[in-house]
């Protein structure tokens, strides 16, 4: 059995050996779930050691200890592992799910949750504060149990996917809310490619697959986003952590884009613009038009976050080219913006004045996109009539330091629709 506990911590915890044996018995009797209490007799040293671990005063003598509190304290400590892993290591071996053992039809699943706990411990995610939420959701729904003989494969695949996402999303952070503050992130993977490379099966993360459901539950727990109930919500959840679901559903909306070339794609784009039609450019279409200029050098192109802005521009018949990322930019949107800048266009971006909007804008500005009515003064002009509360910590806004300061002071969000009239004026000079 792997040693997960550092030697100094092991020596510290050894003084609480009676507690660990009681906890082991409790865990094995309630399905390896860190719930309920144990009652233990502690001498003065034992009470002092437990007080140090829990961060509160524990009296000596007969003491009730809540397993959930003990589990949280271990994950948050230098040990950085959960209660099941720690107890198994301190008491001689993996725990057995006695509840499962009581049912003959579940004999093959005796060690399922012990296996899950070991997989989490080996992943480096064990101390993340969202892990218990994920675990409890999986238990409550019986998702892994329904996987039958494939449960261990599902767990391995799910942990491999989460480890692969960790360099771009801080899933291993021990700071509550760290993942929520970091998303949405720039697209780094396409779903089928990620599944093929990590799971050995390009369809392992498709809708309806158990591995996909397990990973999405983890992402929802980590980000604080709702569990997705629709295909669109599942695509949004994947996109939030930098995974593009496919080559056709992630799009860039365009209005009045007139590429100057004579090739069929450029002619088609100009014809649609002349007809007053909005065009959805997918990753597949991007590959078809990737080597063609979208605009003439020096042209000004505008970009927005919300489709309502582009819809209003189309309704008003504005003349300036406008792109819409529809929230967190899909891969095709990032490719197009990069190409426009490389071809000498000036791209100006406006988004929502909220935490997610600031994160998106910062990433785009780092790529060379310029602000469009997206500075401190613009926010102050709009916030006067706004009422929507601002949720979350506002990151710094280096392109306009006064913007972050003003948002932190007023704690009000302003969506693009509220300043629509100003944006439309810019689009129809």
């Amino acid at each position: 059995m792997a040693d997960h506990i550092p030697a100094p911590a092991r020596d510290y915890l050894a003084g609480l050996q009676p507690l660990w044996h009681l906890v082991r018995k409790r865990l094995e009797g309630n399905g390896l779930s860190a719930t309920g209490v144990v009652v233990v007799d502690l001498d003065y040293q034992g009470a002092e050691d437990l007080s140090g671990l829990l961060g509160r005063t524990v009296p000596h003598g007969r003491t009730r200890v809540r397993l959930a509190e003990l589990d949280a304290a271990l994950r948050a400590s230098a040990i950085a592992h959960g209660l099941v892993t720690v107890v198994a290591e301190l008491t001689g071996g993996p725990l057995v799910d006695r509840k499962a053992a009581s049912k003959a039809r579940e004999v093959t699943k005796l060690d399922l949750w012990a296996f899950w706990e070991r997989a989490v411990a080996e992943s480096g995610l064990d101390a993340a504060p969202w892990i218990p939420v994920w675990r409890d959701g999986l238990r409550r729904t019986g998702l892994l149990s329904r996987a039958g003989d494939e449960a261990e494969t599902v767990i391995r695949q799910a942990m491999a996917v989460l480890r692969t996402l960790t360099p771009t999303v801080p899933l291993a952070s021990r700071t509550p809310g760290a993942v929520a503050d970091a998303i949405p992130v720039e697209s780094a993977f396409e779903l089928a490619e990620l599944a093929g490379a990590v799971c050995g099966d390009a369809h392992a993360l498709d809708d309806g697959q158990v591995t996909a459901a397990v990973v999405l539950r983890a992402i929802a727990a980590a980000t604080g986003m709702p569990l997705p109930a629709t295909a669109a919500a599942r695509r949004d959840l994947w996109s939030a952590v930098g995974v593009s679901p496919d080559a056709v559903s992630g799009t860039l909306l365009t209005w009045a884009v007139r590429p100057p070339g004579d090739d069929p794609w450029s002619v088609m784009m100009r014809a649609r613009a002349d007809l007053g039609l909005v065009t959805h450019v997918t990753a597949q279409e991007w590959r078809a038009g990737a080597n063609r200029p979208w605009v003439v050098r020096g042209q000004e192109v505008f970009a927005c976050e919300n489709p309502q802005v582009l819809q209003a521009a189309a309704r008003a018949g504005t003349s300036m080219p406008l792109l819409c990322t529809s929230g967190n930019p899909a891969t095709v949107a990032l490719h197009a913006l990069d190409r426009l800048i490389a071809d000498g266009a000036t791209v100006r971006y406006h988004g929502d004045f909220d935490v997610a909007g600031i994160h998106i804008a910062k990433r785009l500005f780092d790529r060379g996109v310029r602000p469009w009515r997206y500075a401190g003064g613009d926010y102050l002009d709009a916030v006067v009539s706004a009422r929507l509360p601002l949720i979350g910590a506002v990151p710094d806004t280096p392109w306009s330091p006064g913007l972050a300061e003003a948002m932190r002071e007023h704690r009000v969000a302003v969506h693009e629709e509220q300043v629509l009239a100003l944006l439309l004026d810019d689009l129809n000079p």
Side-chain angles (χ1 to χ4, degrees), residues 240-306:
V241 293
V243 180
S244 179
D246 51 57
V248 293
S249 62
T251 68
L252 172 68
L253 289 171
T254 71
W255 165 253
V257 173
R258 293 180 168 84
D262 294 328
D263 57 278
W265 183 83
S266 299
V267 171
M268 179 272 294
M269 289 291 287
R270 290 200 302 274
R272 291 186 63 86
D274 291 341
L275 289 169
L277 299 176
V278 173
T279 297
H280 292 250
V281 178
T282 66
Q284 179 193 43
E285 185 167 342
W286 161 257
R287 288 192 281 269
N291 296 321
R292 300 167 178 83
W294 282 35
V295 296
V296 298
R297 178 170 290 275
Q299 185 169 0
E300 192 169 45
V301 178
F302 293 86
C304 63
E305 179 182 348
N306 296 312

Side-chain angles (χ1 to χ4, degrees), residues 15-220:
L16 294 168
Q17 200 65 26
L19 171 64
W20 305 127
H21 285 284
L22 287 170
V23 171
R24 181 185 181 107
K25 184 177 180 180
R26 175 74 187 194
L27 287 170
E28 290 187 329
N30 65 1
L32 305 186
S33 178
T35 57
V37 300
V38 295
V39 179
V40 60
D41 284 319
L42 297 173
D43 58 19
Y44 283 97
Q45 186 59 51
E48 184 174 328
D49 291 344
L50 186 58
S51 297
L53 176 60
L54 298 181
R56 63 176 178 83
T57 300
V58 175
H60 73 279
R62 195 171 175 81
T63 301
R64 290 166 57 88
V65 181
R66 291 190 302 111
L67 269 63
E69 181 184 14
L70 193 56
D71 181 67
L74 289 167
R75 294 180 189 278
S77 72
I79 298 162
H81 290 290
L83 188 58
V84 172
T85 300
V86 170
V87 169
E89 192 164 334
L90 292 176
T91 58
L95 278 66
V96 176
D97 188 342
R98 301 297 182 191
K99 274 191 172 181
S102 69
K103 300 178 182 179
R105 63 185 176 85
E106 294 182 0
V107 169
T108 59
K109 304 169 190 174
L110 285 175
D111 296 323
L112 174 62
W113 286 104
F115 181 87
W116 184 89
E117 287 280 355
R118 290 196 297 273
V120 173
E122 291 164 3
S123 74
L125 302 177
D126 200 32
W130 56 270
I131 290 290
V133 178
W134 181 35
R135 175 195 61 209
D136 292 346
L138 292 175
R139 283 183 172 277
R140 189 171 56 254
T141 60
L143 195 56
L144 292 177
S145 297
R146 292 200 300 274
D149 293 341
E150 300 299 317
E152 291 190 3
T153 298
V154 167
I155 292 170
R156 288 192 192 95
Q157 290 178 339
M159 296 315 306
V161 171
L162 295 173
R163 285 196 303 271
T164 302
L165 295 178
T166 298
T168 53
V169 184
L171 295 174
S173 173
R174 297 166 66 177
T175 303
V179 180
D181 290 342
I183 62 167
V185 301
E186 180 180 316
S187 182
F189 309 96
E190 286 194 5
L191 188 63
E193 294 173 346
L194 176 64
V198 174
C199 303
D201 177 359
H203 298 289
L205 300 178
D206 287 356
D207 255 6
Q209 296 298 311
V210 179
T211 299
V214 170
V215 173
L216 285 172
R217 275 194 165 270
I219 295 172

